[in-house]
Amino acid sequence: RGGDGTVRRVLFEEAMEVNVLSGHRVVPPYGVDGGLPGAVGHTRLIAADGTVTEFGASAQTNVVAGDRMEIETPGGGGFGSPS
C-alpha cells in the first residue's frame, strides 16, 4: 500500500509574496514491484473573494490578508501487488 498525502492550509494575515516549489503535480509517484502509483498533489490559492487558482509544480504569486493557500501533498506509490 502507498503512503497517504497530507493537506496543509495557510491563512495569510498580511500581504506578501509567496513562492511554491513542489513536485508530482502531473506525473504521480510511481509504484514498485507491481504497486499502483500514488495520487498527484495540488496547490490552490483561495482568494478572500472566493476565487480559486490552481498552481502547477512551481509558482510565484502575491497574496493579501484573508487569502488562503491549500497544499495537498501527493500520496506515495505502492509496493507489491495491491491484492
Side-chain angles (χ1 to χ4, degrees):
R1 174 171 145 71
D4 293 329
T6 189
V7 178
R8 295 181 180 98
R9 292 181 180 96
V10 179
L11 172 64
F12 297 99
E13 296 182 346
E14 61 185 65
M16 63 181 64
E17 181 179 298
V18 176
N19 294 286
V20 176
L21 182 60
S22 57
H24 294 292
R25 295 310 193 244
V26 176
V27 177
Y30 56 87
V32 177
D33 196 28
L36 299 175
V40 295
H42 298 276
T43 303
R44 295 179 195 88
L45 178 67
I46 300 106
D49 68 4
T51 304
V52 177
T53 305
E54 179 102 16
F55 294 104
S58 62
Q60 180 280 325
T61 192
N62 292 305
V63 297
V64 297
D67 287 353
R68 295 173 289 141
M69 184 157 281
E70 185 173 85
I71 302 166
E72 294 181 34
T73 62
F79 177 80
S81 174
S83 60

